[in-house]
Amino acid sequence: DPPSGGPPSGGPPSGGPPSGGPPSGPTAPTPNMSPAPTPVGFVSDMPTLDCPDGCPDCDPNSPLQCPPRDMKAVCDKHNDALYPPGDAREGERVANFRDCYDMCKPSFCCIHDSLSKEYAPSCAQEYENCFLYYPCYIIWWKLHDTIGPATYLRVEQDEDFYNVDFEFLTNDFANDREFFQQLFGHHFDDDNAPTDDTFENEDNW
């Protein structure tokens, strides 16, 4: 179950938390985004040169850029549109967990209020573009779907949208330490790196 102010409680854990590093588990290759023609739900990775309507901070140096124009299509699990014939990703779903996850990661600091200053600081009161990342809720919900403490992730789900498994996340956590710290450190208000014992201590549940 998702946490509220801290790692969730629940039944006995059936995964493994990280020991000084991210957890581990099995994967599939991560698809690359490619430009395509224009079906409903189409996703483009072409750079946006203008300021999208409704984006308050279009500064190219903004710490949280305007979200991709097609984020809502990519993060809508009910969008069954496929990439069209001739596209490098022909026949793949436009809406899928992995692409949505990649789009959403920079905004994770928007969704929590940790008092951490360095390990997992919140940006909810600082970044003007936070509210535009609301389609990301489906990613944050899944990353807080656990069996026991917050490190016991339960990411596999029998729906077409969820093209993700534990090993995919493990590899990504290893390559993106800042996001790893945000995900597991935001439950706490200090800058001490949480350990296995931190999450398995029932006083922290």
Side-chain angles (χ1 to χ4, degrees):
D1 297 324
S4 178
S9 58
S14 66
S19 242
S24 58
T27 197
T30 307
N32 295 318
M33 294 281 284
S34 298
T38 55
V40 174
F42 158 68
V43 171
S44 172
D45 66 353
M46 297 299 288
T48 300
L49 301 179
D50 61 332
C51 184
D53 291 342
C55 186
D57 184 1
C58 295
D59 186 333
N61 296 315
S62 172
L64 184 63
Q65 298 289 310
C66 301
R69 292 178 180 274
D70 297 304
M71 172 180 280
K72 286 194 285 187
V74 173
C75 295
D76 178 4
K77 76 171 186 176
H78 300 293
N79 173 20
D80 293 324
L82 305 179
Y83 284 96
D87 185 77
R89 297 179 63 179
E90 177 180 344
E92 292 183 33
R93 281 177 59 94
V94 168
N96 68 91
F97 185 98
R98 293 187 183 196
D99 291 337
C100 180
Y101 172 81
D102 286 340
M103 291 178 174
C104 289
K105 283 198 304 176
S107 71
F108 188 86
C109 59
C110 294
I111 71 163
H112 67 82
D113 59 359
S114 170
L115 299 180
S116 168
K117 300 299 184 185
E118 297 178 6
Y119 193 81
S122 171
C123 62
Q125 303 302 318
E126 299 175 45
Y127 294 175
E128 292 184 79
N129 293 336
C130 275
F131 73 98
L132 297 174
Y133 284 79
Y134 67 89
C136 298
Y137 79 91
I138 193 168
I139 302 297
W140 310 147
W141 170 81
K142 176 49 70 176
L143 293 183
H144 290 88
D145 183 8
T146 66
I147 304 172
T151 48
Y152 290 76
L153 302 178
R154 179 172 51 186
V155 295
E156 292 86 356
Q157 187 159 329
D158 188 19
E159 294 182 50
D160 291 338
F161 177 81
Y162 294 96
N163 61 340
V164 65
D165 57 26
F166 201 56
E167 188 174 349
F168 168 80
L169 291 178
T170 299
N171 293 336
D172 189 71
F173 294 160
N175 292 326
D176 190 343
R177 195 70 190 179
E178 182 177 352
F179 181 70
F180 175 76
Q181 291 181 189
Q182 277 283 332
L183 180 61
F184 292 107
H186 81 279
H187 297 292
F188 309 100
D189 286 331
D190 57 38
D191 288 309
N192 297 319
T195 65
D196 294 358
D197 291 341
T198 307
F199 287 103
E200 295 184 7
N201 181 348
E202 294 185 12
D203 291 339
N204 291 328
W205 294 1

